[in-house]
Amino acid sequence: MILWRSVVGKLWGTILLLVSFVLFVLTILMLEFIENYHVDKAEDELTQLATKVSLIIESHEDQELAKSISWELADELTHIIIVENENNVSNSPIKDEELPHLTMKDIEEDDELSLPLTKQQKISKRTNLEQPNDVFANGEDEVLIVGVPYKVSETKTGAVFISQSLKAVHETTKETTKYIILAAGIAIILTTIFAFFLSTRITYPLRKMREVAQELARGKFESKVPIMSNDEIGELGVAFNQMGKQLKFHINALSQEKEHLTNILSSMADGVITLNIDGTILVTNPPAERFLTSWYYEQGINVESGGELPSDMKALFQRVVSTEKEQMLEIIIQGRSWVILMTPLYNQSHVRGAVAVLRDMTEERRLDKLRKDFIANVSHELRTPISMLQGYSEAIVDDIASTEEEKKDIARVIHDESLRMGRLVNDLLDLARMEAGHITLNLEEISLNDFVEKVGRKFQGLAKEKDISLLTEVHIKEPTQVIDPDRIEQVLTNLIDNAIRHTAEKGSVVIEVKDHTDGVIIDVRDSGSGIPEEDLPFVFERFYKADKARTRGRAGTGLGLAIVKNIIEAHKGKISVHSKIDEGTTFSFFLPRKKLESEYN
């Protein structure tokens, strides 16, 4: 089956069928020609023989001698009948009994054979004596009959009939057929060899082209077709190699364009989703995939089977397709705010889809809220001291304070409130510089033991006043650390001050320093009132204060922990808080080990 499907098999079969058909037609025509030629020649010879016999019969007085001479003219295949009248019929001796012979009965029963006797006409007929009316009778039993009239007397006529078997003609035809079949077999063999030779010369380059085409389909563009001739097939091979080069060039160009586009989409901070006209997703980038994953999670959809858009985006897509204009939408998924800008894509003059750009506006919205909260908090923080300054200064102007002691109390309040405003403004300036990245660290190599002891001693007096136990514990192998001592002292001051202010009498505050793999960890732990769990994520934000009922006395500005966080992050460290209500709070910050620049030189 593989041979018949190939070009070689088809070409060989076509040539073989063509040669076989030509040989078949040629054989039939040749056999017909040979048979007709021999029959015509035999007919001429029998006619001449019959004429001779009639002349011999007419010219001899002795009929028996004439007949004897006539019988000598007949061969094994020839039979002569001399008919003078119905009662006087002479037959030549029969030399082969197996061959069919003409009889007087055959002549009388055939109207055509009776013509020489009845109408004195010459006749010639080819017939089967055994089955004269059967068209499909055996051809070897055929005979050729010739009848010639002659004069018996002036008033009477007779006829000479000569019949000859066509067995020799048919045997000649058989032999000829054998030789033709032999020649046809040789011709078919030679044709097959020629066909395979010719088809191989043609199909070998085609097979190579097929192999190269398969290699090209697998991405091996270096494969080439060997050029073996300068004919049309050779030109086809050259064109095929040129096509391979062009295909490689265009594939590389498309790959570069695709890679370039993929890199652009992957590196974009905004999400991009390309949609088909039916709303199916064609292309996404990582931010867009995170957006869709969040939506699938929120809706409880399997991520692997998910391929649809959020319902709000579907409605937006329908508006874009119907209006053919840019549309915008903002939706909130998993607590994050996304702004979606969708634009129609055109295929010439028709809309073929849309492209959606998704921007995560959570941080912008948070900053907007922080900006608004900052203004509100600053206004709130400044309003109280300003109101008190204004009120007490009016009291002085209006001479409400009558005694010297009252005037001192009013001046003391004005002084405290002005200091409070000063602290607030300084904290705001420090925090603004830190968040802007303008903080400068004056790194020094110091002994943590001495440094922590010094900070602890500074708060011993305040701790004793409130009957609070203040302890320092240092458990480190390498006592020295490279830090900015002023900034870290500011951190510890803020944390220890908060711990003392939020710890009741008989409580404790512990400052613990311990080793870490890449640095040290400093914990400030108190046994105070603790921070509610819902407030823990926000304690390092500006102006954020926990329950005012727990401040126990003077309240802070709400900026201290924000400043602490910025100082720690400037040291490439981290700070965290753990707390439980009525069990205490622990602030922990990590400081990595560093070396002074002079040590590298």
Side-chain angles (χ1 to χ4, degrees):
M1 294 300 292
I2 297 177
L3 178 63
W4 290 113
R5 292 178 183 175
S6 65
V7 177
V8 177
K10 292 177 181 177
L11 186 60
W12 171 67
T14 302
I15 296 176
L16 192 61
L17 288 174
L18 180 61
V19 171
S20 300
F21 177 75
V22 171
L23 289 176
F24 176 73
V25 174
L26 182 62
T27 301
I28 292 175
L29 294 177
M30 186 177 292
L31 293 176
E32 188 70 21
F33 168 76
I34 291 173
E35 185 173 349
N36 291 336
Y37 173 77
H38 285 289
V39 170
D40 291 343
K41 189 175 180 180
E43 183 179 349
D44 292 340
E45 290 177 354
L46 290 181
T47 301
Q48 291 178 7
L49 180 59
T51 303
K52 278 184 183 182
V53 171
S54 64
L55 290 175
I56 291 172
I57 297 298
E58 288 177 355
S59 61
H60 285 73
E61 292 292 337
D62 189 352
Q63 292 294 310
E64 291 299 327
L65 178 61
K67 291 178 182 179
S68 177
I69 294 171
S70 298
W71 304 152
E72 292 297 331
L73 297 176
D75 57 16
E76 295 180 354
L77 300 176
T78 305
H79 179 63
I80 301 174
I81 298 178
I82 300 174
V83 181
E84 292 182 9
N85 52 51
E86 293 180 358
N87 298 321
N88 190 1
V89 178
S90 301
N91 291 280
S92 63
I94 297 174
K95 298 179 180 179
D96 191 349
E97 293 292 340
E98 294 181 359
L99 296 176
H101 297 91
L102 181 65
T103 63
M104 191 59 195
K105 183 179 178 181
D106 296 328
I107 296 172
E108 290 175 351
E109 292 177 355
D110 194 323
D111 294 336
E112 187 178 356
L113 295 178
S114 302
L115 290 177
L117 293 173
T118 57
K119 295 185 179 181
Q120 292 79 46
Q121 295 180 0
K122 291 183 179 181
I123 61 100
S124 177
K125 185 176 182 181
R126 181 179 175 182
T127 183
N128 190 320
L129 295 175
E130 299 293 334
Q131 300 172 344
N133 297 322
D134 190 355
V135 180
F136 301 101
N138 188 5
E140 294 183 356
D141 294 335
E142 281 188 319
V143 294
L144 179 62
I145 303 171
V146 175
V148 177
Y150 75 94
K151 288 183 180 183
V152 177
S153 64
E154 293 297 332
T155 58
K156 295 180 180 181
T157 60
V160 177
F161 293 93
I162 300 177
S163 65
Q164 187 179 52
S165 175
L166 295 178
K167 183 178 180 180
V169 176
H170 287 292
E171 288 180 354
T172 303
T173 303
K174 285 182 179 180
E175 292 297 322
T176 305
T177 304
K178 290 180 181 178
Y179 285 112
I180 291 176
I181 291 174
L182 178 61
I186 295 173
I188 289 174
I189 294 173
L190 294 177
T191 301
T192 301
I193 295 173
F194 170 73
F196 273 96
F197 173 76
L198 179 63
S199 61
T200 302
R201 295 281 295 177
I202 295 174
T203 57
Y204 176 74
L206 295 179
R207 288 199 303 270
K208 296 301 293 182
M209 290 181 191
R210 181 191 64 185
E211 293 174 2
V212 173
Q214 292 174 347
E215 294 291 329
L216 292 177
R218 288 192 288 266
K220 298 181 180 179
F221 299 104
E222 296 79 10
S223 303
K224 291 186 179 180
V225 177
I227 308 301
M228 305 177 64
S229 61
N230 295 323
D231 54 6
E232 289 84 353
I233 294 180
E235 293 176 357
L236 179 61
V238 173
F240 199 89
N241 291 336
Q242 296 264 344
M243 181 191 70
K245 291 181 181 178
Q246 291 295 322
L247 185 62
K248 180 180 180 181
F249 173 77
H250 290 299
I251 290 294
N252 289 336
L254 289 175
S255 298
Q256 291 176 0
E257 289 294 330
K258 183 179 179 181
E259 184 179 358
H260 185 58
L261 179 60
T262 303
N263 291 335
I264 291 175
L265 289 176
S266 299
S267 60
M268 287 180 63
D270 296 337
V272 177
I273 301 177
T274 304
L275 305 172
N276 203 353
I277 188 62
D278 58 356
T280 57
I281 298 174
L282 297 178
V283 179
T284 59
N285 66 343
E289 292 172 0
R290 289 194 294 270
F291 166 80
L292 292 175
T293 302
S294 299
W295 182 76
Y296 294 150
Y297 178 79
E298 188 175 80
Q299 299 296 321
I301 300 175
N302 187 4
V303 177
E304 295 181 356
S305 62
E308 56 179 312
L309 293 173
S311 55
D312 294 337
M313 283 190 70
K314 287 182 180 178
L316 183 68
F317 174 73
Q318 295 298 329
R319 290 202 304 271
V320 169
V321 172
S322 60
T323 61
E324 297 186 8
K325 292 182 180 179
E326 183 180 270
Q327 301 289 335
M328 183 180 289
L329 174 70
E330 183 169 354
I331 60 177
I332 297 176
I333 295 178
Q334 291 288 295
R336 303 195 70 84
S337 179
W338 294 86
V339 173
I340 304 170
L341 181 65
M342 192 174 292
T343 306
L345 291 176
Y346 291 92
N347 183 8
Q348 294 180 353
S349 59
H350 301 287
V351 175
R352 65 176 180 86
V355 58
V357 178
L358 301 88
R359 174 165 293 181
D360 188 353
M361 300 295 290
T362 306
E363 188 65 22
E364 284 79 357
R365 298 292 180 263
R366 189 183 71 83
L367 292 176
D368 289 341
K369 184 177 182 301
L370 286 177
R371 190 161 44 248
K372 294 176 182 178
D373 292 345
F374 175 77
I375 295 173
N377 289 327
V378 169
S379 301
H380 175 75
E381 293 293 333
L382 290 176
R383 182 171 57 187
T384 301
I386 289 175
S387 298
M388 295 186 70
L389 288 174
Q390 182 179 357
Y392 281 101
S393 60
E394 287 178 354
I396 294 175
V397 171
D398 294 339
D399 290 331
I400 295 177
S402 57
T403 64
E404 204 59 37
E405 187 65 28
E406 290 178 349
K407 290 179 180 180
K408 287 182 180 181
D409 290 338
I410 292 174
R412 192 180 301 110
V413 171
I414 293 174
H415 178 70
D416 291 340
E417 292 301 324
S418 64
L419 291 177
R420 180 180 174 186
M421 289 180 61
R423 287 196 306 272
L424 177 61
V425 172
N426 289 332
D427 288 345
L428 285 172
L429 292 175
D430 288 342
L431 185 59
R433 283 195 298 269
M434 292 178 185
E435 291 183 345
H438 296 155
I439 183 173
T440 303
L441 298 179
N442 298 315
L443 298 178
E444 297 179 15
E445 188 176 47
I446 65 170
S447 172
L448 279 180
N449 291 337
D450 299 337
F451 177 76
V452 173
E453 289 291 340
K454 183 187 74 171
V455 176
R457 284 195 300 271
K458 185 170 68 172
F459 286 92
Q460 286 294 340
L462 180 61
K464 287 181 179 179
E465 289 181 5
K466 300 190 66 175
D467 196 12
I468 294 174
S469 172
L470 178 61
L471 302 175
T472 58
E473 299 177 1
V474 179
H475 307 288
I476 55 176
K477 295 179 181 179
E478 187 175 344
T480 59
Q481 180 79 11
V482 177
I483 58 173
D484 184 338
D486 292 337
R487 294 292 185 180
I488 298 300
E489 183 176 352
Q490 185 179 359
V491 169
L492 289 174
T493 299
N494 190 290
L495 295 178
I496 296 171
D497 181 66
N498 286 342
I500 293 174
R501 283 194 293 112
H502 294 89
T503 302
E505 295 181 357
K506 306 298 182 180
S508 65
V509 175
V510 179
I511 307 168
E512 183 180 5
V513 183
K514 52 191 175 181
D515 274 325
H516 189 265
T517 306
D518 300 319
V520 296
I521 295 177
I522 301 177
D523 294 340
V524 177
R525 184 171 61 252
D526 65 66
S527 59
S529 57
I531 302 174
E533 184 178 352
E534 62 271 14
D535 291 335
L536 286 176
F538 310 104
V539 294
F540 295 107
E541 291 187 4
R542 292 176 295 180
F543 296 111
Y544 190 85
K545 297 180 182 180
D547 186 5
K548 297 295 190 299
R550 298 187 300 107
T551 55
R552 296 183 182 272
R554 60 188 181 93
T557 61
L559 298 175
L561 291 179
I563 294 173
V564 164
K565 181 181 178 183
N566 279 275
I567 292 174
I568 298 300
E569 290 178 350
H571 281 78
K572 308 300 180 184
K574 294 180 180 179
I575 187 169
S576 61
V577 59
H578 302 281
S579 180
K580 287 186 178 181
I581 294 296
D582 297 330
E583 292 186 11
T585 303
T586 301
F587 282 89
S588 299
F589 61 90
F590 166 74
L591 295 175
R593 295 194 183 278
K594 295 182 180 180
K595 291 185 178 181
L596 293 175
E597 293 184 1
S598 59
E599 297 183 17
Y600 291 101
N601 300 328

